[in-house]
Amino acid sequence: VWVVRLVGAQSRVIDEFVVWLLQNVPTFEQAGFRANGLHAAVLRLLDSPADEARKYAAGYARTHARDLPVSELIRLANNDHEAVRKLAQDLLGEKDPRK
């Protein structure tokens, strides 16, 4: 999908445009992101320079990417965006500390 290539630009404006597309184009349903190759791209938005993109990605991950590895969650716990930090804290809190 061509949207995946846009996310790699690491541009605030482009990432905001990608989020607008994902929210407004009917063929982009979050439940189908993995099957359509968009899952990893949306998760890359957690590190976007655009706050709106990070908020969107955190909301997506909260529902569709609860299987993020602990190492990634620890990295995200240091993110400067509150929604991303909260996501990481919540998902880390759900992990079994013995594992």
Side-chain angles (χ1 to χ4, degrees):
V1 176
W2 56 271
V3 174
V4 172
R5 290 180 288 202
L6 290 175
V7 174
Q10 282 293 304
S11 163
R12 183 184 58 78
V13 174
I14 291 174
D15 288 354
E16 288 172 350
F17 175 64
V18 167
V19 169
W20 183 89
L21 285 172
L22 295 174
Q23 290 176 326
N24 291 292
V25 175
T27 56
F28 292 131
E29 292 292 329
Q30 286 188 350
F33 282 3
R34 281 187 198 254
N36 293 325
L38 291 167
H39 179 75
V42 173
L43 293 179
R44 282 198 307 273
L45 291 174
L46 291 166
D47 295 312
S48 172
D51 286 341
E52 186 62 31
R54 289 191 278 181
K55 180 180 174 184
Y56 178 83
Y60 170 78
R62 190 169 290 285
T63 303
H64 301 284
R66 300 187 74 79
D67 58 348
L68 288 171
V70 171
S71 59
E72 180 69 1
L73 293 173
I74 290 170
R75 186 185 72 76
L76 292 173
N78 292 317
N79 193 291
D80 63 354
H81 192 274
E82 183 180 346
V84 175
R85 282 193 315 272
K86 178 82 169 109
L87 166 73
Q89 292 166 0
D90 291 348
L91 294 182
L92 280 169
E94 293 175 1
K95 301 283 183 191
D96 183 347
R98 294 171 288 182
K99 293 181 181 179

